[in-house]
Amino acid sequence: MLPNQNRLRRREDFAKVYANGDRYRGTYLNLRILFDSNAEFTKIGIVVSKKVSKLAVSRNRFKRQLRAIFRQLLSQLKNRLQIVVTVIASQSKPSYQQLCDDLKNLLAKAKVLHGS
């Protein structure tokens, strides 16, 4: 689980990131990032639509895997960001390692990891 302070929850926050955030597209994930000067912490939201899978079990698996990846990367992320990750519907189901690699590549492309 992500700590409470790092979760993006409110509909208005998601809408703000969708409207004003920078977009990055990977093989399995879409990433939207917005710098928020008022925020103290980086906040993360994960979206998996029914287009990806009609089964809640598999949608929840994607969310759990992405939360676990973000938990490892949280110390490397810059502060005051709002990040929304959306899983792209595709024919193949990506493995944990493929999701991890795709997310790291997107975060590096967005230059939000320390040292990138």
Side-chain angles (χ1 to χ4, degrees), residues 78-92:
K78 295 181 180 176
N79 285 335
R80 299 177 184 213
L81 297 171
Q82 290 186 342
I83 301 172
V84 175
V85 178
T86 308
V87 178
I88 299 173
S90 66
Q91 297 295 339
S92 63

Side-chain angles (χ1 to χ4, degrees), residues 20 33 36 53 57 76 78 99 107 109 114-115:
N20 304 320
I33 298 177
D36 185 10
S53 174
V57 172
Q76 299 173 26
K78 295 181 180 176
L99 282 176
L107 292 172
K109 191 188 307 183
H114 288 294

